[in-house]
Amino acid sequence: EPSVGGLEFKIDSPDLPVTISSGTYRIRVTLAGEKSVVFDSGELELAGGSDLMITAVPNVDGGAVSPVNLLVADGEGAAILRNKEEKATVRVVHAVDDAPEVDVLASGSPVDGLTMIAFREFRSLDLEPDSYDLSVAASIDNSLVVIDAPDTSIEAGTTTSIYAVGKLNSVTDSTIEPLVIAEDLRSVALYGKVRVVHASPTAGDLGLVDIHASADGVFDETTAVIKGVDFKDTATLNVPAGTYFLAVILASDGTFSPAVEAMAMVEDGGVYSVVATDN
């Protein structure tokens, strides 16, 4: 028997508020009259004296486990409560042109699905939300660690991209470091979302750059969409559907000669990453 039944969109139930004893509870949401669970909080400790307002809100940034999250407010603040099965997505990007294939290690052990990652390769994996001792090491010898990231917290319903950027040169002279980006991969029907990432250390040494987008491949001061971009900078653009010529041009170059140029097709509802690397 449901504690609160027959809730309609935007309507409070006449059965509210519900008074319960303190203890361990589990909040589940089902369609009215059905037993199929669309949200399950798992076990929760509810303290005596609490005055909580719980609102079902659309799950727009998590996975496909549940269509809703619960917004829990106590009069002083609010927090999102996610389905207990909600995972966290981690995307690893190898953006170091002079480094060999790499493995991602958790507490010193290779993570299944995140091994033998080559330059320019994107690799994604859903993980249990937790804190991890992560490192990145050469696939041929896991003792050659190039990135060490202990106590990396991964939260449910999030997508985190970890770019390996910099130069290897040698193990003792490496400038490789992690570039961590909290992603918003939600599709929007009215435009495409394009994330731009500056991951070229060589271009970074030359100075700030501007990112240009042109419909005809001709670039001038009016085609710059992001100005003054430095190494490891990133930004997201909302872009109407179409075919674009993209260029990276030194901010100091008054002739608007592209250092890097490429063509890209963008569709409404698409979510894209454009990454400038060496080589």
Side-chain angles (χ1 to χ4, degrees):
E1 187 71 20
S3 301
V4 178
L7 276 177
E8 296 183 17
F9 181 52
K10 299 191 294 183
I11 302 298
D12 281 348
S13 168
D15 299 327
L16 297 175
V18 175
T19 301
I20 58 176
S21 303
S22 61
T24 302
Y25 291 87
R26 192 171 185 174
I27 301 174
R28 288 179 168 179
V29 178
T30 68
L31 295 178
E34 299 184 13
K35 293 187 177 180
S36 298
V37 176
V38 297
F39 180 93
D40 187 343
S41 70
E43 292 187 347
L44 298 172
E45 292 293 331
L46 299 184
S50 300
D51 186 5
L52 303 177
M53 183 175 72
I54 301 176
T55 307
V57 295
N59 179 7
V60 298
D61 57 356
V65 175
S66 174
V68 299
N69 296 320
L70 299 187
L71 179 65
V72 182
D74 63 2
E76 296 182 357
I80 290 290
L81 181 62
R82 299 183 183 275
N83 191 296
K84 70 181 183 69
E85 300 296 335
E86 196 79 75
K87 298 289 195 296
T89 299
V90 175
R91 183 170 66 168
V92 178
V93 185
H94 187 332
V96 181
D97 71 310
D98 65 343
E101 294 180 338
V102 298
D103 297 344
V104 176
L105 313 179
S107 299
S109 298
V111 179
D112 288 342
L114 296 181
T115 60
M116 303 292 289
I117 304 173
F119 174 53
R120 290 182 176 169
E121 187 175 1
F122 287 64
R123 194 81 66 81
S124 295
L125 189 67
D126 290 338
L127 299 175
E128 293 291 338
D130 206 341
S131 181
Y132 294 89
D133 291 329
L134 298 179
S135 57
V136 177
S139 298
I140 57 174
D141 184 353
N142 283 173
S143 69
L144 301 177
V145 176
V146 293
I147 293 177
D148 195 12
D151 299 322
T152 300
S153 181
I154 306 296
E155 297 183 4
T158 62
T159 298
T160 303
S161 289
I162 304 174
Y163 286 75
V165 299
K167 286 287 190 181
L168 178 61
N169 298 316
S170 68
V171 175
T172 57
D173 192 31
S174 171
T175 62
I176 297 176
E177 58 182 316
L179 173 58
V180 181
I181 299 173
E183 299 282 14
D184 175 11
L185 301 184
R186 182 168 64 98
S187 177
V188 179
L190 298 179
Y191 52 78
K193 294 164 70 171
V194 180
R195 175 175 289 283
V196 177
V197 182
H198 184 342
S200 170
T202 298
D205 290 340
L206 297 176
L208 300 180
V209 300
D210 297 335
I211 309 299
H212 290 251
S214 166
D216 58 7
V218 177
F219 303 103
D220 57 33
E221 65 274 3
T222 67
T223 59
V225 290
I226 309 176
K227 292 186 175 182
V229 183
D230 203 354
F231 177 52
K232 297 188 293 183
D233 282 350
T234 179
T236 300
L237 302 171
N238 299 331
V239 180
T243 299
Y244 297 90
F245 293 88
L246 304 176
V248 178
I249 299 176
L250 284 174
S252 58
D253 184 355
T255 66
F256 302 101
S257 301
V260 179
E261 186 176 3
M263 187 175 69
M265 295 181 63
V266 175
E267 296 181 358
D268 289 340
V271 182
Y272 305 89
S273 293
V274 178
V275 186
T277 68
D278 277 4
N279 191 23

